[in-house]
Amino acid sequence: MSQWPDTRILDLFCIDLPILQAPMAGATSPEMVIAVSEAGGLGSLPSAQYNVEQLRIALDTIRAATKKPVNVNFFSHTMPEIDPGRQTAWRTRLAPYYIEAGLDPAMSVPAGGRAPFDSFFCEVVEAYRPEVVSFHFGLPDVELVRRVRATGAKIISSATTVAEARWLADRGVDAIIAMGFEAGGHRGNFLTQDMATQVGTMALVPQIVDAVKIPVIAAGGIGDGRGIAAAFALGASAVQIGTSYLFTPEANIPPVHRAALEHAGDDTTALTNVFTGRPARGVMNRIMREVGPLTDLAPAFPTAGGALAPLRAEAEAIGSGDFTNLWSGQAAKLAQPLPSSELTIGLANEAIALMKRLARR
């Protein structure tokens, strides 16, 4: 008999522990995915940090090291048309920082951005057949979803409201990630752009559980066994954890990001769109304070980041995170600096022990 009160996600994904490591673009390494999956959780590889060939190489690395189920995550946004006027306004706003850093404000910058799921990425899924495929920002078009499902993969996506959860359920996803306002990184919202009405995890999870018949995975502000136990008490079948894995040695983040996480508190993060053009939660820094955190000047996702790249490089070279996206959720203080495997098993054991103590009362 399972020690977990709800085993639907364990059965659905064929995993031992109801812990999903969040797919954090720019931070998650193949080594992290391998360690989490080998520990019994679900390691998640963010494809948004790769092009197609790089993704194949990463999946080769993972498949060579583990036969356990893995999740491959994709963004499902629509690329915007380039808006020269908005790009010019953005470069003008950033020009004083270029001058301060000794850079030419008119210098060429990277295009910036993350590629959405398309037929080329779908071919990788068809070739490697990951056990789970997850999406952020809704779902791709119906034909692409059909092709993914034909591989046998379980399909999941994030919802930040009950309406988004119902939308996903109506389109046949196998499980829903209920992403609370506390979560770090990019919001998964796709039916609303109103950040003022986004919902916290404690309120969101039970309402989504009541609204859909498929399993719900709680995400946002969960950093220890107490959070996992609370998620199950609210009706979740599993949890997705991101920020805690940023403290692991397998996390691929710069030293300035690690330093920011070590000093992060409950009130030191904010939602910002200055780094990519889309709201994401990170530790407050200079560019967020002086330009945002949320600004209408930022070009549409994912085109805002290119202009910040030279500033970030210059700042990080002297040990400053003033222009780095320091993604973090609100519960960074709960994180334990352990290897990914030990963290996964430790979180599960802590949650089980707590649930047993509560059951005896």
Side-chain angles (χ1 to χ4, degrees):
M1 182 177 177
S2 174
Q3 301 179 82
W4 300 97
D6 186 331
T7 64
R8 286 181 294 167
I9 287 295
L10 301 181
D11 299 336
L12 185 67
F13 298 158
C14 298
I15 56 178
D16 299 321
L17 305 175
I19 297 176
L20 286 67
Q21 159 251 313
M24 300 169 287
T28 300
S29 64
E31 291 72 27
M32 181 188 292
V33 177
I34 294 164
V36 174
S37 288
E38 280 291 295
L42 186 70
S44 304
L45 183 71
S47 75
Q49 65 188 359
Y50 300 120
N51 60 34
V52 168
E53 185 54 37
Q54 290 168 339
L55 178 59
R56 289 181 182 275
I57 294 170
L59 287 172
D60 283 338
T61 299
I62 291 168
R63 285 307 197 200
T66 183
K67 302 305 180 186
K68 298 289 186 70
V70 297
N71 167 35
V72 179
N73 173 261
F74 297 93
F75 286 175
S76 52
H77 60 287
T78 300
M79 288 297 288
E81 293 185 7
I82 297 297
D83 184 339
R86 198 167 180 184
Q87 291 289 341
T88 299
W90 185 230
R91 295 293 297 270
T92 299
R93 179 63 183 88
L94 298 178
Y97 298 110
Y98 275 73
I99 294 169
E100 180 184 318
L103 300 172
D104 179 1
M107 68 183 290
S108 177
V109 299
R114 304 291 193 180
F117 188 69
D118 58 15
S119 61
F120 299 106
F121 278 125
C122 195
E123 289 174 3
V124 178
V125 170
E126 290 167 331
Y128 286 83
R129 304 175 74 87
E131 291 76 11
V132 182
V133 174
S134 63
F135 293 102
H136 217 48
F137 316 136
L139 293 170
D141 71 59
V142 174
E143 176 57 20
L144 288 173
V145 172
R146 185 200 65 76
R147 287 173 58 184
V148 172
R149 190 169 297 284
T151 70
K154 304 303 180 184
I155 298 175
I156 63 177
S157 187
S158 299
T160 67
T161 64
V162 170
E164 289 176 346
R166 288 197 177 108
W167 188 95
L168 292 170
D170 289 345
R171 284 154 181 80
V173 300
D174 295 289
I176 291 171
I177 302 164
M179 187 181 192
F181 192 59
E182 302 93 327
H186 282 102
R187 304 295 300 148
N189 59 293
F190 57 93
L191 293 183
T192 176
Q193 302 303 316
D194 185 359
M195 291 299 101
T197 58
Q198 289 280 283
V199 190
T201 306
M202 289 288 288
L204 182 64
V205 170
Q207 292 185 75
I208 290 182
V209 168
D210 290 347
V212 301
K213 295 181 179 179
I214 55 179
V216 174
I217 301 158
I222 301 171
D224 60 14
R226 292 173 296 179
I228 298 171
F232 273 89
L234 295 171
S237 303
V239 298
Q240 179 171 278
I241 296 175
T243 302
S244 290
Y245 284 100
L246 294 177
F247 287 80
T248 68
E250 294 86 2
N252 184 27
I253 57 175
V256 294
H257 195 168
R258 289 189 182 275
L261 289 169
E262 289 170 359
H263 295 92
D266 63 315
D267 60 350
T268 57
T269 69
L271 287 181
T272 182
N273 65 345
V274 300
F275 296 105
T276 67
R278 192 177 185 105
R281 183 175 296 281
V283 178
M284 286 286 287
N285 61 4
R286 181 185 178 189
I287 191 69
M288 288 169 66
R289 287 190 298 269
E290 296 179 1
V291 176
L294 297 170
T295 174
D296 292 336
L297 285 174
F301 179 85
T303 63
L308 282 169
L311 296 172
R312 171 176 176 165
E314 289 290 320
E316 287 186 3
I318 59 172
S320 169
D322 282 350
F323 301 96
T324 301
N325 51 310
L326 308 169
W327 297 152
S328 173
Q330 291 181 327
K333 277 294 183 187
L334 301 179
Q336 304 175 58
L338 297 169
S340 295
S341 176
E342 292 181 31
L343 175 63
T344 304
I345 295 170
L347 288 170
N349 288 339
E350 185 183 349
I352 289 170
L354 176 57
M355 287 188 288
K356 286 181 176 178
R357 288 200 302 272
L358 293 173
R360 289 195 296 264
R361 290 183 179 178

